[in-house]
């Protein structure tokens, strides 16, 4: 088992993510088999106390606007704001960084290469001239998922 080699802290996180609310797990972990519940059906112990827990904020130019991107640690969400007029920030949209986890447990989503970022700890805003695709976007790194992905802006 991988987590035994990674220390007790990591083991506790994995066990919390896979904890079965009734001690028996879910009838469908997202692959029509019993097992760990999809994250959309779980609540970790800290969220009710701590709330969304904003983790990181970056800013850069995309689509001719100055944008800020903020992530939440436990919700794995990204909030994108237009801050071109700093005194009047405007929330443009919110994206969940692991949409597959709503219906699939982390193991199933990871196996299907669609897990996304769980517990985003780090992000980098890449303006178009520095982007591998030529379009502005954000690199997100998930601490718990061990994943990195690039999300582009559509102008």
């Amino acid at each position: 088992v991988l987590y035994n080699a990674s220390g007790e802290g990591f083991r506790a996180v994995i066990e919390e993510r896979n904890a079965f609310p009734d001690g028996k797990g879910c009838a469908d972990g997202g692959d029509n088999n019993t097992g760990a519940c999809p994250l959309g059906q779980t609540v970790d112990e800290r969220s009710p106390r701590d709330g969304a827990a904003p983790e990181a904020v970056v800013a850069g130019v995309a689509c001719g606007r100055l944008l800020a991107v903020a992530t939440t640690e436990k919700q794995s969400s990204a909030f994108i704001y237009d801050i071109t007029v700093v005194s009047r920030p405007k929330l443009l949209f919110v994206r969940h960084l692991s949409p597959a986890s709503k219906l699939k447990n982390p193991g199933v989503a990871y196996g299907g290469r669609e897990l996304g970022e769980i517990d985003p700890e780090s992000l980098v805003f890449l303006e178009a001239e520095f982007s591998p695709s030529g379009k502005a976007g954000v690199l997100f790194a998930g601490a718990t998922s061990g994943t990195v992905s690039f999300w582009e802006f559509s102008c």
Side-chain angles (χ1 to χ4, degrees), residues 129-142:
E129 60 268 25
F130 301 107
S131 165
S133 68
K135 295 181 180 179
V138 179
L139 281 167
F140 294 94

Side-chain angles (χ1 to χ4, degrees), residues 121-138:
E121 293 280 335
S122 181
L123 56 154
V124 176
F125 195 110
L126 294 175
E127 294 184 0
E129 60 268 25
F130 301 107
S131 165
S133 68
K135 295 181 180 179
V138 179

Side-chain angles (χ1 to χ4, degrees), residues 62-76:
C63 306
R65 310 294 292 172
L66 180 59
L67 302 180
V69 179
T71 59
T72 58
E73 179 181 23
K74 295 177 213 111
Q75 291 177 330
S76 297

Side-chain angles (χ1 to χ4, degrees), residues 24 28 30 33 40 46 70-71 73 92 108 136 146 152:
K24 298 177 185 171
D28 182 359
N33 293 307
R46 288 178 35 208
T71 59
E73 179 181 23
L92 298 178
V108 172
E152 294 179 339

Side-chain angles (χ1 to χ4, degrees), residues 76-94:
S76 297
S77 297
F79 296 81
I80 293 72
Y81 295 89
D82 182 338
I83 59 169
T84 304
V85 179
V86 177
S87 61
R88 290 188 320 200
K90 179 181 176 187
L91 178 64
L92 298 178
F93 57 91
V94 178

Side-chain angles (χ1 to χ4, degrees), residues 31-58:
D31 59 354
N32 298 316
N33 293 307
T34 58
C37 295
L39 293 177
Q41 298 175 25
T42 64
V43 176
D44 65 277
E45 292 179 11
R46 288 178 35 208
S47 289
R49 289 191 318 257
D50 300 346
E55 186 67 29
V57 178
V58 294

